[in-house]
Amino acid sequence: MAEMHGGENLLFLTDEQLRQGIEAMFFAYRGFTADPDRILATMAYGRAHHRAIHFIARSPGTTVNNLLAILGVTKQSLNRVLRTLIEDGLVESRVGTTDKRERHLTLTEAGAALERKLSDAQRARMRAAYRAAGPQAVAGFRQVLEAMMEPDLRRRYHAIRESDT
Amino acid sequence: MAEMHGGENLLFLTDEQLRQGIEAMFFAYRGFTADPDRILATMAYGRAHHRAIHFIARSPGTTVNNLLAILGVTKQSLNRVLRTLIEDGLVESRVGTTDKRERHLTLTEAGAALERKLSDAQRARMRAAYRAAGPQAVAGFRQVLEAMMEPDLRRRYHAIRESDT
DNA sequence: CATATTAAGTCAGCTTTGTTGACATTCCAA
DNA sequence: TTGGAATGTCAACAAAGCTGACTTAATATG
């Protein structure tokens, strides 16, 4: 169990270490979604609604196609979710001005309120974990997560960090 | 973008930093499951089967109840998955010797072969990410993931690392 | 020993969220 | 101007979760 750091020691790449990382990822993801899930369970929405709301809040005016690429589901699947959100007055869909095939999505006041509620819960856990682990651990956490992404999603992740489409 | 570490700087806890962490977690989890998913899509199994196979391989002879607690699903849901795996000859269920109510689950040769195939794919990505990020980043990654788990799952995670039940 | 509890499994039915296939509308380029 | 590409919608189906009610067998307990 010796602490090791810097160049040459490759013990962190053993199958056992990798398996522990895989299980940590599995258990942590459960914690990651637990709080929003609890809130969503009290209403008629699920995790898919949360994801849509999150990325609409993130990039107001985004198109359905854009959202599709980020979420990685079929448009039919996303459409079902969007339809209920629009019917319930949480999301507004406006026909595009330059291209009338596109729909631009934004949150209504009610949608923004739900988004805040869900985000606050998820951020609270994230903040507690970050604080417990410390800034250096957080930097490592981010590095490994990024290296784990599929290349096209990594590009999307960077794009969404730097500018809104 | 100044590098900061040690005690006092709390800029890593801003809402924007937390949101980036949340999105990183979302995109990374997709990468995490992508390779096994591709393999599973070619046969009649899904992610639920993979999870069951993983933890049976991890703790051979584990009981149904044990698996239930680890996976966090209902027994009806797990049972559906286990039934197909047993019917297909990937998992063996043996009546317990000391407590005959219990069923002890193990992988058959065929089950172990599939487990290896899935693990190898998932570990390959994990290994690449670990190698790219380096040992110190990996340590931080593990710390943050652990801090994110629900307490009872964190205990389970530690238990499974140290000894088999 | 009688009874309560536990472990496992089953049946039925429902919900969420993914999938394909077919189709309407809009735009653009040959 | 017309045919294809892009965008979005509707319908039907599948995987995998869920609840609730129940059975069977074995163990624990009063």
Side-chain angles (χ1 to χ4, degrees):
Chain A
M1 281 284 181
E3 280 286 303
M4 65 199 77
H5 35 68
E8 278 308 301
N9 199 323
L10 297 178
L11 285 183
F12 75 112
L13 293 175
T14 60
D15 279 2
E16 172 60 21
Q17 285 295 311
L18 294 169
R19 219 221 36 245
Q20 288 186 19
I22 286 168
E23 290 176 2
M25 196 70 187
F26 171 69
F27 289 127
Y29 200 78
R30 291 256 295 280
F32 173 67
T33 57
D35 302 315
D37 281 356
R38 265 190 285 273
I39 295 171
L40 291 160
T42 69
M43 46 191 93
Y45 300 127
R47 212 176 279 178
H49 298 86
H50 181 196
R51 291 197 285 262
I53 288 174
H54 174 100
F55 285 106
I56 294 172
R58 180 78 186 78
S59 308
T62 189
T63 63
V64 173
N65 233 10
N66 214 325
L67 215 46
L68 237 38
I70 288 171
L71 296 176
V73 297
T74 57
K75 61 182 173 173
Q76 294 87 335
S77 191
L78 175 57
N79 196 253
R80 189 198 300 123
V81 166
L82 283 180
R83 188 166 39 208
T84 68
L85 290 174
I86 291 167
E87 278 169 8
D88 296 351
L90 301 187
V91 168
E92 201 182 358
S93 167
R94 274 191 303 261
V95 172
T97 48
T98 65
D99 187 335
K100 288 180 196 147
R101 291 173 301 182
E102 295 179 339
R103 300 297 132 88
H104 296 277
L105 305 167
T106 46
L107 295 184
T108 63
E109 205 32 66
L114 177 57
E115 196 279 327
R116 243 171 282 126
K117 195 171 167 188
L118 295 169
S119 287
D120 284 351
Q122 196 160 41
R123 269 201 302 263
R125 179 181 297 251
M126 209 69 175
R127 188 178 298 113
Y130 272 23
R131 202 192 304 271
Q136 204 165 17
V138 168
F141 168 72
R142 293 280 298 269
Q143 269 181 276
V144 175
L145 287 188
E146 238 191 88
M148 238 158 66
M149 295 176 196
E150 302 257 304
D152 62 318
L153 283 183
R154 180 158 49 234
R155 255 177 279 118
R156 233 159 244 289
Y157 171 69
H158 279 125
I160 211 173
R161 280 200 321 185
E162 283 148 20
S163 72
D164 290 356
T165 305
Chain B
M1 280 283 182
E3 280 286 303
M4 66 198 78
H5 34 68
E8 278 309 300
N9 199 323
L10 297 178
L11 285 182
F12 75 113
L13 293 176
T14 60
D15 279 2
E16 172 60 21
Q17 286 294 312
L18 294 169
R19 217 218 42 241
Q20 288 187 19
I22 286 168
E23 290 177 0
M25 196 69 187
F26 171 70
F27 288 128
Y29 199 79
R30 291 257 295 281
F32 174 68
T33 56
D35 302 316
D37 281 356
R38 266 191 283 274
I39 295 171
L40 291 160
T42 69
M43 47 191 92
Y45 299 127
R47 213 177 279 179
H49 299 84
H50 180 196
R51 290 197 286 261
I53 287 175
H54 174 99
F55 284 105
I56 294 173
R58 180 74 186 81
S59 308
T62 189
T63 63
V64 173
N65 239 5
N66 213 327
L67 213 47
L68 237 36
I70 288 171
L71 296 176
V73 298
T74 59
K75 64 176 174 178
Q76 293 90 332
S77 192
L78 175 58
N79 198 254
R80 190 197 298 129
V81 166
L82 281 181
R83 191 163 39 204
T84 68
L85 290 174
I86 291 168
E87 277 169 9
D88 296 353
L90 301 187
V91 168
E92 201 182 357
S93 168
R94 272 192 305 261
V95 171
T97 49
T98 66
D99 188 334
K100 287 178 196 149
R101 289 173 304 181
E102 295 180 337
R103 299 299 134 85
H104 295 278
L105 304 168
T106 47
L107 295 184
T108 64
E109 205 31 68
L114 177 57
E115 196 279 328
R116 242 171 283 129
K117 195 171 165 187
L118 295 169
S119 287
D120 284 351
Q122 196 161 39
R123 270 201 302 263
R125 178 181 297 251
M126 208 70 174
R127 187 178 298 112
Y130 272 23
R131 202 193 303 272
Q136 205 165 20
V138 168
F141 168 71
R142 293 280 298 270
Q143 270 182 274
V144 174
L145 287 189
E146 239 190 89
M148 235 159 66
M149 296 176 195
E150 303 257 307
D152 60 318
L153 283 183
R154 180 158 49 233
R155 257 178 277 118
R156 234 158 243 292
Y157 171 70
H158 279 124
I160 211 173
R161 280 200 321 184
E162 282 148 20
S163 71
D164 289 356
T165 307

